[in-house]
Amino acid sequence: MAQGIRDKAVIIGMGCTRFGERWDMSSDMLMAEAFEEALADAGIARDEIGAAWLGSALDDVNVGNSAIPLATALRLPPMPVTRVENMCATGTEALRAATYAVASGAVDIALALGVEKLKDTGFGGLPIRTKGSVNDLWMPYGSAPGTFAQLAGAYAARHGIDAADLKRAMAHVSWKSHQNGALSEKAHLRKPVSMETILNAPMIADPLGLFDCCGVSDGAAAAIITTPEIARSLGRDALVSVKSVQVCASNGWEMQYGEWDGSYVRNTRIASARAYEEAGISDPQRDLGLTEVHDCFSITELVAMEDLGLSDPGRAVADVLDGKFDRGGAVPCQVDGGLKCFGHPVGASGLRMAYEVYNQLQGRAGARQLDNIDFGLTHNLGGQPSNSVVAVSVLGRL
């Protein structure tokens, strides 16, 4: 693979709303809040932005199926504005588009913003009226907890993991996130939860209990991207570079040919391998200082540790229980609390993850600040293990 976008684009400003049940704010207000923070951080005027991308996944209950709401809410000057959607990878897809635009020389400064307003709909989960003809034909009775519970069963079967050990490791994943989320002022849920409470919670889809599942929230996050040269001309010296952004989508292989045993997510393995190569990372366990992983369910994070090359095959349960991914572990994961504590406003989550990595690299994470961070990773998984789209990005110092 060619070097790609590595070090051709840097983030000079990021913003993020508080996530939660934002009855007090419309989607326009959420977008404006995230944007204003990013704009102030970047130290530029809005008319210096050359193009913008809006990430919003659920158009029928949210901001609509065009990018006009972004241009209107932010009062952007006339410019190209595009809406993107790629399931749970939507926020990272917006980041990818803005980064590619700058890295290619198409524009000098670009904006990526993701938003979702879900808590006004009355739905407890994702308010999807129809998943489209393909999914409606393939899995008319599927559910998110059900499909990820199957991932847990398949993973345990492949590696000979005892059910009680797997359950305890999944509980540790959730316990860790809630401990970390208590330090995040913008998280939806900020209360630590005991292991006993997690293990004894009501079952949702065996073996996933209540605390193994993330909820949905309202929220928005934004990033402003430019070239290293322009960033330095603005007086920026501690630059955060977009080292790589890779996306991989299912082509039907998992569901059609019987080669896949359901114990891993193939697209995570492919996207992360490409992201590491593009970023120049040869040993992710050594090089990555923190990760923000798509923990829609605790089993998703656990399996992702192996798919991302951060645990050896079959070792994730032991690594989790040994604290490898705790805040003080070798490869901290979800130091802000992850989806478990922020919830999942689909279009915003990928950029919210980048917001945490960006602030850690800038040394601005407050009580959550880690030491010796050179590279951070974000990972999104949209859909289900058998039919997914995965986005992996690596940010680092320039």
Side-chain angles (χ1 to χ4, degrees):
M1 179 186 291
Q3 178 176 325
I5 62 170
R6 188 200 314 171
D7 296 336
K8 296 179 181 178
V10 297
I11 302 174
I12 57 169
M14 290 207 74
C16 182
T17 66
R18 178 176 62 81
F19 281 33
E21 298 177 351
R22 301 307 306 271
W23 313 116
D24 58 324
M25 299 186 75
S26 65
S27 58
D28 283 3
M29 295 168 70
L30 290 170
M31 287 190 281
E33 182 177 302
F35 174 68
E36 291 298 336
E37 181 184 350
L39 198 65
D41 186 21
I44 63 169
R46 73 186 64 210
D47 60 5
E48 295 181 72
I49 298 170
W53 280 264
L54 168 66
S56 173
L58 302 170
D59 59 301
D60 56 346
V61 296
N62 196 21
V63 299
N65 61 358
S66 78
I68 292 174
L70 181 67
T72 302
L74 307 187
R75 296 296 189 264
L76 295 175
M79 68 171 69
V81 185
T82 305
R83 175 179 174 263
V84 296
E85 185 278 321
N86 216 348
M87 301 178 78
C88 300
T90 294
T92 305
E93 192 67 79
L95 176 66
R96 184 170 76 114
T99 300
Y100 280 22
V102 169
S104 69
V107 297
D108 289 335
I109 301 177
L111 167 70
L113 188 147
V115 65
E116 218 77 57
K117 189 80 168 70
L118 299 174
K119 300 305 292 185
D120 294 350
T121 65
F123 286 82
L126 295 179
I128 300 175
R129 297 189 178 97
T130 175
K131 298 175 183 177
S133 59
V134 175
N135 281 336
D136 285 346
L137 287 170
W138 280 3
M139 47 171 293
Y141 303 112
S143 72
T147 56
F148 284 89
Q150 292 177 29
L151 175 66
Y155 175 83
R158 175 169 183 166
H159 298 292
I161 305 296
D162 180 76
D165 291 339
L166 180 62
K167 183 68 175 174
R168 191 165 61 255
M170 291 192 305
H172 188 96
V173 166
S174 298
W175 171 86
K176 166 184 61 65
S177 291
H178 282 286
Q179 293 291 318
N180 293 340
L183 300 175
S184 294
E185 62 279 359
K186 294 188 177 184
H188 188 164
L189 305 175
R190 299 192 60 196
K191 181 179 179 181
V193 181
S194 70
M195 283 285 289
E196 181 181 13
T197 298
I198 296 169
L199 287 168
N200 294 324
M203 190 67 69
I204 302 300
D206 195 4
L208 304 179
L210 178 65
F211 288 95
D212 293 307
C213 311
C214 86
V216 298
S217 298
D218 301 331
I224 296 175
I225 315 293
T226 190
T227 66
E229 295 75 19
I230 293 174
R232 292 190 179 103
S233 75
L234 294 170
R236 305 295 290 265
D237 50 8
L239 299 183
V240 174
S241 170
V242 183
K243 302 290 184 178
S244 61
V245 185
Q246 290 289 331
V247 174
C248 186
S250 294
N251 63 3
W253 172 84
E254 298 95 334
M255 300 185 71
Q256 294 181 14
Y257 295 106
E259 297 177 39
W260 180 63
D261 66 3
S263 67
Y264 63 98
V265 179
R266 182 185 185 223
N267 287 332
T268 298
R269 296 184 175 189
I270 295 171
S272 61
R274 292 173 178 171
Y276 295 148
E277 183 176 359
E278 185 177 33
I281 289 178
S282 58
D283 184 350
Q285 296 193 43
R286 178 197 65 201
D287 295 339
L288 293 176
L290 78 157
T291 61
E292 288 283 321
V293 171
H294 200 89
D295 57 323
C296 50
F297 301 94
S298 56
I299 188 61
T300 318
E301 177 180 326
L302 188 148
V303 172
M305 294 298 100
E306 294 184 19
D307 292 340
L308 292 166
L310 301 175
S311 280
D312 295 334
R315 286 288 306 169
V317 166
D319 285 345
V320 165
L321 292 173
D322 288 344
K324 181 176 182 178
F325 308 113
D326 290 359
R327 188 174 178 277
V331 188
C333 182
Q334 326 294 41
V335 293
D336 63 351
L339 271 66
K340 283 293 289 96
C341 293
F342 276 82
H344 186 26
V346 183
S349 288
L351 282 161
R352 187 272 302 162
M353 293 175 174
Y355 179 81
E356 178 65 21
V357 175
Y358 171 79
N359 280 314
Q360 289 281 350
L361 289 166
Q362 295 273 16
R364 304 191 315 204
R368 301 184 310 280
Q369 185 62 49
L370 301 172
D371 297 326
N372 304 318
I373 305 299
D374 293 317
F375 296 96
L377 173 143
T378 74
H379 159 265
N380 297 114
L381 190 161
Q384 62 188 45
S386 64
N387 190 28
S388 66
V389 56
V390 169
V392 175
S393 72
V394 177
L395 307 181
R397 292 193 178 91
L398 183 61

